[in-house]
Structures are given as structure tokens and as C-alpha cells.
């Protein structure tokens, strides 16, 4: 007989209660309904099909394009005592045959399959001889041409419901903008299904954005500020920079690996494997890295260069903290980033309509960087949600940034750009404003201009911040040849004429050490719990190595942290810890209790 969903949640997964709308979604699918589930990364989508898979008779078929992930997902399920298998091009013939046999014999609770494989005649034939519990279509946004992950095969998945109209289908994604959502409903023919939308907030991620002064030193300070020994990702724009930063970190004792599309496939795979299987590695990467990484204990994501858009930023930073523990998204950006992105945009050969959209996207990204408001509010508003109160867990909430009336400063800067001929970069224009005596100033006789030396009330760093914001706001435009020359933007006139007031952000003083309250919240109040936690992680790593599986499929950090705090002494108490199901209790319980007992006596 079908087991109750809550019973499965507790016995098999070891969790106490459902999160958000999980209970409704799971009940809906168990009863045979179709649904689309939109939930942020880490929201708990997997249980939405895994529990119905165990409650409905037959095997659940999970379609996923992320082949590299399947084996880890299957391993995580097996650790929990669930019968799971995967079929894709990376699986050997013999093993594939065995899995197919299990499937036909009804010996699998779940099977993960790549869309190409699912659509083959032979697999379709196999499905015809199988009792199917449900179809789960993961990463459902792949059906949409709007996204960057379009997979033509996803469009053909409608065959599932033509052939098996009685089998419930569940589409899942973390990408939720309107056009993508409509595409999913249309192309998967899910219009009659229910739609479940969870909020997109990731409250455990702390957002911080710092103006660039000395990015390498800033990154090191960030890593030293409570991130020692943690897994994280550092994103850079270019391959050369990835290599350089990875090497620099390694030399300074931070275990770091490079990852970019220029590396051999074998090297990339090896680095990715190590990142997933080892504790405390830092991956320095271009955006080529991350798609399909569902390592739950990534503790930080750092951006040394600006991402392409707020969508990209949200997706990249979303790789932090899937396990719900405190995590950080940290970014530096400066005038040169803003100039570079503007140049790329204007120089692109895209049609006007698309350029207009890209301009809006860039403006939104820069607006996020320059805001003096709660960053989470700005971010969520962009995705169409409202957070009624400031979050208290971003840099502007923790250390409010001041703003000032920048109208006069803007007028001085703009008119100095105008008078120097609209061909020079910020560096030289600032020299003129500050009354500098440089070769260029002398050569072009810029000491004779009316704007020469009129900017003494601000330091060079402050002027750079002002110029950065003027470019961000579109008051200054950038030449597209790549020299970084500035000219007046279309919005500049009203400011010069004194018709528009400008509010600017006062950047924190350069080089000031991060304020204590800017630090990441600690996991443990008692240092002895931290010691025990590390001992539990070491034990977990031994088990993981012996089985050649990622540590997190054995227990998540959050589960080990709960053990360290609660210090259970008996199996029965251990079973009460979130994330300890029956299979893991049987398999690992005594060993972890032994580690706790060693640390128990103070
Ligand atoms: P998603 O696929 O939406 O990114 P996952 O399904 O991987 O997220 O779940 C994220 C994390 O939350 C996992 O570590 C999972 O075990 C945990 N989780 C999910 N649902 C619950 C729950 N009801 N109680 C406790 N932990 C949960
Ligand atoms: Zn905030």
C-alpha cells in the first residue's frame, strides 16, 4: 500500500516537516495531478517528486539535462535506502543493461534519464513495459528559447503525455520570469496543471558589494574574514585572470583550482570532481563553471568582475548555501567594469530592439550595485516580488550607505568632460578637476580651462566613485573603440542646465577594514561545538572517500552542525536530528555517536 507522504519524509529523509508548499505539491502529484513548480535553488524541489515516487506504485521517471549530476543524485538517494538508477551517455553498456532490467522488473523507485535517451525508440519501448509512477521534468526552462539553456529535445517531451495520459507530470525550474513560464506551460502542454510559485528570496545568503580599490587584496581580506576552510566559487571575466587568481590564492595557502573553457576537458572534469568531493576548495572560474553544480555546502560566491545581468548574478550567487546555512555573495566592481560593459553593449551588432533590452538590463545591474537601499529588496523587486521590510542581512542594511546631493559634483564632472573635448578617459579628466600638473595637462593646455582645479573638495578616489556613478546612470557615455574615452550621455543636458538633481552614493572610505557586524554570522556560539563539528566532518570524509562519493550525500553540513549542538548519546536521539533517516541511522549511526562520545566529556 502507498505510504503516507509525511511518514516517508520522516523515516526515509529524516526531516521533521515539509517546507513551503511541498506538502500541497506532493499531495497533488500523489493524487495524479500535473503541476509546474517554480522554486528558487535550494528551495527543496527534489522532494516534490521523490516522495510521490515512493508513495505511488511504479517507477518515477526523472528527465534531466544535467548528466554530470545524475550519478551524485542517484548516490544520495541510495544512501537514503532508495532504489535509484540513471541512464545517460556516460553510463557503460553493462551497467545500463542492468538498470534497464531493474526498471522492467519493477525494482526501481526512481530512474534519472537524459532527454535524448528518453526519446529513443528503445527507451520508449521499455516505458511501454514499465509501470510508471510519474514523470518529473527537471530544469523545465530548457524548453524555452528565452533562456540560455534551450534544449530542442525538451520540446518533444509532449510525447510522454500523448502516450501516457494517465501518468502525472511535474515540471520543475528555478527560472521564473513570465515568458519562460508561459513557454513551459505551452510547450510541455501543462496548461491544465496547477502552478506552484515559491518566493524567490534566499534569506540565508548575505549580499555584499564593494567598490573596487585593490581587488586582489580585497578578495583575500574577504576570504580571511571567516571563510577559511570553506568551499566557494570566485568568478572572473577572463581565463587569464582565472589562472592568475587561482595561482595567487594557492601561493597564499588557500586551496584553489582554476576552471574555464580553455582548459582540457579532462582537467575541467577533474577539478569539478575535486570541488564536489573535497571539503574547503575554492574554485576560481569563468561563468563556464557552475551550471548543474548542486553541491549544497558552497559557502560563498565572489565576483571579481561584474556578471552579465541581474539574472546571471542571481543564478551565480544562488549556487551558495543550498543547504540553507549562512552563506555570502560578495562582489567588487569599479569604473573600469562599468566602462567595459557599456562598451561591449554599444559595440555589439545586435538589432536595436535587443540592444534596448540589454541596455535596460545593464541599467538594472548597475542600479543594484549603486543602490543605498536594501540590496535584497532591489533584487527581489527586479524579479517582481516585494519584500516589505529591509532584510537586515545585506551590506546596506548592516552598514547603511550614505548618499549626498551630487548635483554640483556632477555638473563639474560633466562640464570638464565637455571642455576637454569628450575624448579623454576618467583618469585625465580627474587630473584636470584636481588641478594636476601632468604631461597630458601641459600638452593639451588643459590648465587653461575654466574647469581646471575646480574639484578640490573631493579626493581622487571620491571622483572615481562619482565618475563610475555618472557612467552607471548614463550621464556619461563611453567610446566604443576601447580607449575608455568619455562623452556626454543623452541624459546630461538637464543636469548641466541645473534642471535635474542627482543623488549619489557615498562609498565607504577605501581600505577601511570590514566592520565587525559585516562579518558572516557564526554557526556555533560555543567553540567546542565547532571542534566537534570539524571532527564529524572528518569522519564523514573518511566514509565518502571509502565509497568514492561526495561527502554531502552521506550527511549535509546542516545535519552535522545539528549533531554537534545537540550531542545525542543514543541512536534514538540521533534519529531525531534533521537529515538522519532510517537507512543512514543503520549505516552510520554508531560511528557518529562514537565521535560525539569522544568529545562529549569536557
Ligand atoms: P532544489 O532542487 O530546489 O535546488 P533541493 O531539492 O536540492 O533544492 O533541496 C535543497 C536542500 O533542502 C537539500 O539539502 C534538501 O535535503 C533540503 N530540504 C528539502 N526539503 C526539506 C524539508 N522539508 N526539511 C528539511 N530539509 C529539506
Ligand atoms: Zn538588506
Amino acid at each position: 500500500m502507498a505510504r503516507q507522504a509525511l511518514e516517508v519524509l520522516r523515516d526515509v529523509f529524516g526531516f521533521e516537516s515539509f517546507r513551503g508548499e511541498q506538502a500541497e505539491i506532493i499531495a497533488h502529484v500523489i493524487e495524479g495531478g500535473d503541476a509546474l513548480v517554480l522554486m528558487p535553488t535550494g528551495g527543496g524541489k527534489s522532494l516534490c517528486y521523490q516522495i510521490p515516487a515512493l508513495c505511488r506504485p511504479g517507477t518515477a521517471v526523472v528527465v534531466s539535462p544535467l548528466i554530470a549530476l545524475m550519478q551524485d543524485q542517484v548516490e544520495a538517494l541510495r544512501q537514503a535506502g532508495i532504489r535509484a538508477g540513471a541512464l545517460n551517455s556516460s553510463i557503460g553498456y553493462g551497467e545500463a543493461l542492468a538498470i534497464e532490467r531493474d526498471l522492467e522488473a519493477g525494482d526501481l523507485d526512481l530512474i534519472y534519464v537524459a532527454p535524448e535517451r528518453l526519446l529513443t525508440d528503445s527507451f520508449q519501448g521499455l516505458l511501454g513495459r514499465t509501470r510508471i509512477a510519474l514523470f518529473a521534468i527537471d530544469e523545465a526552462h530548457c524548453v524555452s528559447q528565452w533562456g540560455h539553456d534551450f534544449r530542442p529535445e525538451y520540446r518533444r517531451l509532449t510525447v510522454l503525455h500523448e502516450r501516457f495520459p494517465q501518468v502525472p507530470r511535474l515540471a520543475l525550474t528555478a527560472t521564473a520570469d513570465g515568458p519562460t513560464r508561459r513557454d513551459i506551460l505551452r510547450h510541455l502542454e501543462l496548461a491544465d496543471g496547477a502552478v506552484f510559485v515559491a518566493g524567490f528570496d534566499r534569506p540565508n545568503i548575505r549580499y555584499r558589494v564593494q567598490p573596487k580599490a585593490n581587488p586582489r587584496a580585497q578578495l583575500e581580506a574577504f576570504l580571511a574574514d571567516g571563510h577559511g576552510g570553506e568551499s566557494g566559487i570566485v568568478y572572473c571575466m577572463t581565463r587569464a585572470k582565472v589562472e592568475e587568481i587561482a595561482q595567487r590564492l594557492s601561493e597564499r595557502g588557500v586551496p584553489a583550482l582554476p576552471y574555464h573553457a580553455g582548459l582540457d576537458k579532462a582537467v575541467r572534469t577533474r577539478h569539478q570532481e575535486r570541488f564536489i568531493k573535497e571539503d574547503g576548495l575554492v574554485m576560481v572560474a569563468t561563468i563556464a563553471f557552475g551550471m548543474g553544480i548542486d553541491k549544497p555546502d558552497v559557502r560563498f560566491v565572489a565576483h571579481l568582475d561584474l556578471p552579465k545581468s541581474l539574472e546571471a548574478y542571481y543564478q551565480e550567487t544562488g549556487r551558495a548555501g543550498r543547504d540553507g546555512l549562512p552563506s555570502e555573495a560578495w562582489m567588487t566592481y569599479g569604473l573600469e567594469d562599468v566602462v567595459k560593459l557599456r562598451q561591449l553593449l554599444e559595440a555589439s551588432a545586435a538589432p536595436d530592439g535587443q540592444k534596448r533590452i540589454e541596455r535596460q538590463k545593464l541599467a538594472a545591474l548597475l542600479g543594484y550595485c549603486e543602490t543605498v537601499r536594501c540590496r535584497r529588496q532591489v533584487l527581489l523587486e527586479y524579479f517582481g516580488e516585494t519584500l516589505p521590510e529591509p532584510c537586515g542581512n545585506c551590506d546596506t542594511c548592516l552598514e547603511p550607505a550614505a548618499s549626498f546631493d551630487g548635483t554640483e559634483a556632477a555638473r563639474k564632472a560633466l562640464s570638464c568632460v565637455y571642455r576637454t573635448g569628450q575624448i579623454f578617459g576618467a583618469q585625465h579628466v580627474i587630473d584636470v578637476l584636481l588641478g594636476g600638473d601632468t604631461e597630458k595637462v601641459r600638452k593639451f593646455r588643459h590648465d587653461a580651462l575654466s574647469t581646471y582645479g575646480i574639484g578640490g573638495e573631493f579626493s581622487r578616489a571620491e571622483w572615481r566613485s562619482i565618475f563610475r556613478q555618472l557612467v552607471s546612470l548614463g550621464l556619461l557615455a563611453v567610446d566604443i573603440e576601447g580607449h575608455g574615452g568619455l562623452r556626454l550621455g543623452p541624459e546630461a543636458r538637464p543636469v548641466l542646465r541645473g534642471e535635474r538633481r542627482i543623488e549619489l552614493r557615498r562609498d565607504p572610505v577605501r581600505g577601511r577594514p570590514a566592520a565587525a557586524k559585516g562579518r558572516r554570522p557564526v554557526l556555533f556560539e560555543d567553540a567546542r561545538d565547532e571542534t566537534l563539528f570539524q571532527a564529524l566532518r572528518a569522519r564523514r570524509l573518511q566514509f565518502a572517500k571509502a565509497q568514492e562519493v561526495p561527502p554531502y550525500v552521506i550527511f549535509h553540513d546542516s545535519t552535522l552542525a545539528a549533531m554537534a549542538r545537540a550531542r545525542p548519546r543514543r541512536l534514538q536521539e540521533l534519529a531525531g536530528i534533521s537529515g538522519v533517516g532510517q537507512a543512514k541511522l543503520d549505516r552510520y549511526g554508531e560511528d557518529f555517536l562514537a565521535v560525539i562520545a569522544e568529545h562529549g566529556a569536557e
Side-chain angles (χ1 to χ4, degrees):
M1 258 339 277
R3 282 191 281 173
Q4 292 294 309
L6 190 60
E7 209 179 297
V8 172
L9 181 77
R10 292 186 175 156
D11 292 353
V12 179
F13 294 94
F15 298 141
E16 192 43 38
S17 52
F18 286 112
R19 255 193 212 160
E21 290 188 287
Q22 278 176 335
E24 288 81 1
I25 298 166
I26 289 168
H28 178 81
V29 176
I30 290 178
E31 276 156 31
D34 294 341
L36 167 60
V37 169
L38 305 153
M39 241 187 227
T41 311
K45 286 186 285 300
S46 329
L47 287 186
C48 295
Y49 58 83
Q50 288 166 349
I51 291 184
L54 298 176
C55 294
R56 282 178 63 89
T59 306
V61 178
V62 186
V63 188
S64 167
L66 306 174
I67 294 178
L69 270 188
M70 281 185 191
Q71 212 47 49
D72 290 346
Q73 287 169 323
V74 165
E75 189 51 50
L77 290 170
R78 287 183 181 158
Q79 292 280 340
I82 298 167
R83 302 170 303 168
L87 281 181
N88 60 55
S89 54
S90 75
I91 290 183
Y93 181 72
E95 195 186 338
L97 217 56
I99 289 168
E100 289 182 1
R101 217 174 308 123
D102 286 349
L103 177 62
E104 225 175 321
D107 287 340
L108 285 182
D109 300 311
L110 284 108
I111 183 157
Y112 285 76
V113 54
E116 310 79 58
R117 174 71 72 122
L118 176 84
L119 293 164
T120 59
D121 289 343
S122 78
F123 194 81
Q124 286 293 317
L126 193 59
L127 282 185
R129 301 189 295 278
T130 304
R131 180 150 195 195
I132 307 167
L134 63 105
F135 291 111
I137 302 166
D138 208 0
E139 313 292 338
H141 59 276
C142 290
V143 81
S144 170
Q145 234 152 353
W146 293 107
H148 30 78
D149 307 326
F150 178 51
R151 300 281 188 130
E153 316 88 64
Y154 261 63
R155 293 267 167 105
R156 291 172 49 212
L157 293 177
T158 47
V159 69
L160 298 177
H161 117 96
E162 284 151 19
R163 280 197 65 201
F164 307 98
Q166 309 303 332
V167 177
R169 290 173 305 146
L170 183 62
L172 310 108
T173 178
T175 307
D177 60 78
T180 309
R181 189 189 309 188
R182 282 192 292 278
D183 264 10
I184 296 173
L185 293 175
R186 183 166 137 234
H187 293 295
L188 293 178
E189 295 177 7
L190 274 171
D192 296 333
V195 179
F196 297 92
V197 187
F200 266 66
D201 189 15
R202 300 285 311 280
N204 61 315
I205 298 182
R206 172 172 295 179
Y207 298 99
R208 279 164 72 187
V209 180
Q210 274 186 357
K212 230 178 234 186
N214 177 348
R216 289 164 182 79
Q218 285 173 293
L219 174 66
E220 279 154 27
F222 166 74
L223 293 176
D225 184 21
H227 294 288
E230 294 184 341
S231 297
I233 307 174
V234 177
Y235 282 114
C236 306
M237 187 112 80
T238 63
R239 298 171 185 186
K241 193 158 164 193
V242 163
E243 295 282 353
E244 184 223 306
I245 301 285
Q247 169 144 19
R248 189 183 159 102
L249 291 179
S250 302
E251 284 165 6
R252 283 165 170 70
V254 178
L257 293 173
Y259 189 104
H260 56 73
L263 290 170
D264 258 9
K265 186 153 191 295
V267 175
R268 280 198 321 248
T269 309
R270 195 169 66 237
H271 287 185
Q272 175 162 330
E273 288 256 300
R274 284 191 56 192
F275 181 68
I276 289 170
K277 293 206 173 147
E278 292 175 27
D279 281 333
L281 261 190
V282 175
M283 192 68 111
V284 186
T286 57
I287 52 167
F289 178 73
M291 169 64 178
I293 294 298
D294 80 356
K295 185 175 166 64
D297 55 356
V298 175
R299 290 274 71 85
F300 62 85
V301 171
H303 280 89
L304 280 186
D305 294 303
L306 279 180
K308 234 177 52 198
S309 62
L310 269 187
E311 283 94 341
Y313 174 74
Y314 203 65
Q315 196 169 47
E316 286 152 24
T317 55
R319 290 171 186 141
R322 289 178 76 124
D323 54 10
L325 295 180
S327 306
E328 230 173 337
W330 177 88
M331 173 158 76
T332 61
Y333 82 112
L335 177 60
E336 53 285 17
D337 297 293
V338 180
V339 165
K340 205 180 302 163
L341 284 182
R342 284 243 181 257
Q343 279 171 341
L344 281 177
L345 177 66
E346 296 308 330
S348 96
D352 278 354
Q354 192 184 332
K355 257 193 184 169
R356 200 171 53 242
I357 294 175
E358 281 172 9
R359 253 184 228 122
Q360 285 166 3
K361 289 193 171 206
L362 181 56
L365 174 67
L366 297 176
Y368 170 78
C369 293
E370 304 286 5
T371 190
V372 292
R373 296 174 53 211
C374 166
R375 294 210 196 268
R376 195 179 310 273
Q377 285 183 320
V378 174
L379 208 47
L380 290 175
E381 267 167 33
Y382 182 73
F383 293 106
E385 267 182 53
T386 36
L387 187 70
E389 296 291 324
C391 74
N393 192 28
C394 71
D395 55 355
T396 52
C397 280
L398 293 162
E399 308 159 61
S403 61
F404 68 101
D405 182 342
T407 314
E408 197 48 40
R411 289 176 70 183
K412 286 182 180 178
L414 296 175
S415 83
C416 196
V417 165
Y418 183 73
R419 290 188 195 281
T420 49
Q422 311 196 63
I423 51 171
F424 294 97
Q427 171 95 7
H428 176 66
V429 181
I430 293 173
D431 282 337
V432 175
L433 282 167
L434 289 176
D437 178 25
T438 67
E439 202 177 308
K440 244 189 205 166
V441 165
R442 272 176 264 131
K443 179 171 166 200
F444 294 101
R445 302 295 326 268
H446 283 164
D447 47 0
L449 295 176
S450 61
T451 53
Y452 183 75
I454 60 167
E457 71 271 42
F458 294 112
S459 68
R460 176 171 295 274
E462 286 168 330
W463 274 119
R464 283 186 67 79
S465 158
I466 292 165
F467 273 83
R468 187 194 72 225
Q469 297 184 61
L470 296 178
V471 176
S472 295
L473 289 166
L475 295 174
L476 284 174
V478 182
D479 79 31
I480 59 175
E481 269 88 55
H483 308 297
L486 298 172
R487 59 196 153 71
L488 299 189
E491 312 284 318
R493 289 255 154 250
V495 178
L496 276 172
R497 282 204 226 103
E499 293 162 10
R500 184 177 155 200
R501 215 181 136 259
I502 298 287
E503 194 73 17
L504 294 177
R505 176 190 168 91
R506 195 183 293 287
D507 286 340
V509 182
R510 176 208 284 225
R512 193 190 59 172
K517 61 182 173 177
R519 296 172 73 95
R520 204 166 54 83
V522 287
L523 262 181
F524 302 101
E525 274 159 25
D526 190 330
R528 285 167 306 184
D529 293 348
E530 169 84 39
T531 312
L532 173 54
F533 175 61
Q534 295 305 344
L536 292 167
R537 290 180 90 203
R539 190 77 190 92
R540 177 181 68 176
L541 194 59
Q542 287 173 344
F543 277 118
K545 284 209 163 125
Q547 301 172 67
E548 293 182 36
V549 299
Y552 62 79
V553 303
I554 294 176
F555 285 123
H556 278 187
D557 277 358
S558 50
T559 300
L560 297 187
M563 285 186 203
R565 274 188 290 255
R567 302 190 175 230
R569 276 187 246 167
R570 291 175 302 131
L571 280 174
Q572 204 188 342
E573 290 162 17
L574 185 61
I577 303 264
S578 181
V580 185
Q582 191 59 48
K584 294 186 181 182
L585 189 70
D586 295 344
R587 200 155 163 192
Y588 305 116
E590 296 289 358
D591 283 281
F592 282 82
L593 284 179
V595 176
I596 295 166
E598 275 167 36
H599 286 72
E602 279 121 43

